[in-house]
Amino acid sequence: MAPGLRTTALLAAVAALSLVGCAGGESGAAPAGEAVSGGAGLIPLARLAGIHVDGGLPADVEGPSSVLAELRYGHGRLIAYVQGDSCGIVATPVGEGDAGAVPIRLVAKRPGAGGGSSRLPVGPYNSASVAGGPRTWASLLCGENAMVIEYSSVGEGVPRQVRGPVTVTRTGGRPAVSRIIVGDPAARGLIEERTGTG
């Protein structure tokens, strides 16, 4: 074989082996879809950029915290935040006229090793729920890479304003429930695929 052809054949072989190596990934590595669904490659809640909200968090939320999402409804707002190893929400009515609109405060810690529930993607999660009187309630799933909130308050419709790394859908039933997913876009997409849009 001529020297020029030999060099070309050698370069072609090296390029082919490089492509095979790239396609196969490292030894023992999970395929990309599996890695994301298990949480690898996602941005943890604690590393997401926080947002500024008027009035901030209640004074009794002590220590460093980061507000990740704000939803403004017709009569109130819901704020989702992280603090240390916990997720929290504060839902407050804006007006004083509706006696059934009781403020809600809910906190859940991320699960430790081997704990929590994995019924939704990018978990595991710990859960907490609270009723804020006869007309309002909320539940919270807290994980390292996402939090999932369900919130219902009679008289509150679709949020008028949504800020932060959040996706909001409405579920059926009476009263309607807001399903609020906080996390990076990949985490939110995986959870939405599982929970549907309503």
Side-chain angles (χ1 to χ4, degrees):
M1 185 181 283
L5 291 175
R6 186 177 301 139
T7 303
T8 302
L10 182 59
L11 290 174
V14 169
L17 289 174
S18 297
L19 290 174
V20 169
C22 290
E26 292 183 29
S27 175
E34 290 179 25
V36 171
S37 66
L42 301 175
I43 301 171
L45 291 174
R47 291 184 42 219
L48 291 175
I51 62 171
H52 172 78
V53 292
D54 292 338
L57 290 169
D60 60 344
V61 177
E62 298 177 358
S65 57
S66 177
V67 174
L68 296 181
E70 178 188 38
L71 291 79
R72 288 194 173 270
Y73 290 86
H75 300 290
R77 73 175 177 174
L78 183 144
I79 296 171
Y81 67 94
V82 290
Q83 180 181 38
D85 62 352
S86 299
C87 307
I89 63 170
V90 178
T92 54
V94 170
E96 300 293 328
D98 186 358
V102 177
I104 285 181
R105 175 85 181 275
L106 188 58
V107 176
K109 286 188 175 276
R110 288 194 315 263
S117 164
S118 294
R119 67 184 175 98
L120 290 179
V122 306
Y125 301 92
N126 274 341
S127 64
S129 61
V130 66
R135 303 183 64 186
T136 59
W137 65 268
S139 68
L140 170 63
L141 296 176
C142 178
E144 180 179 0
N145 298 304
M147 68 173 95
V148 182
I149 303 154
E150 292 196 345
Y151 172 67
S152 178
S153 182
V154 173
E156 301 285 27
V158 175
R160 294 181 180 179
Q161 181 184 26
V162 176
R163 296 174 52 228
V166 60
T167 301
V168 183
T169 58
R170 299 288 282 176
T171 64
R174 291 184 178 268
V177 175
S178 291
R179 181 179 296 122
I180 302 155
I181 305 169
V182 182
D184 76 12
R188 297 196 317 263
L190 289 166
I191 295 167
E192 274 190 290
E193 284 177 17
R194 177 73 60 86
T195 60
T197 57

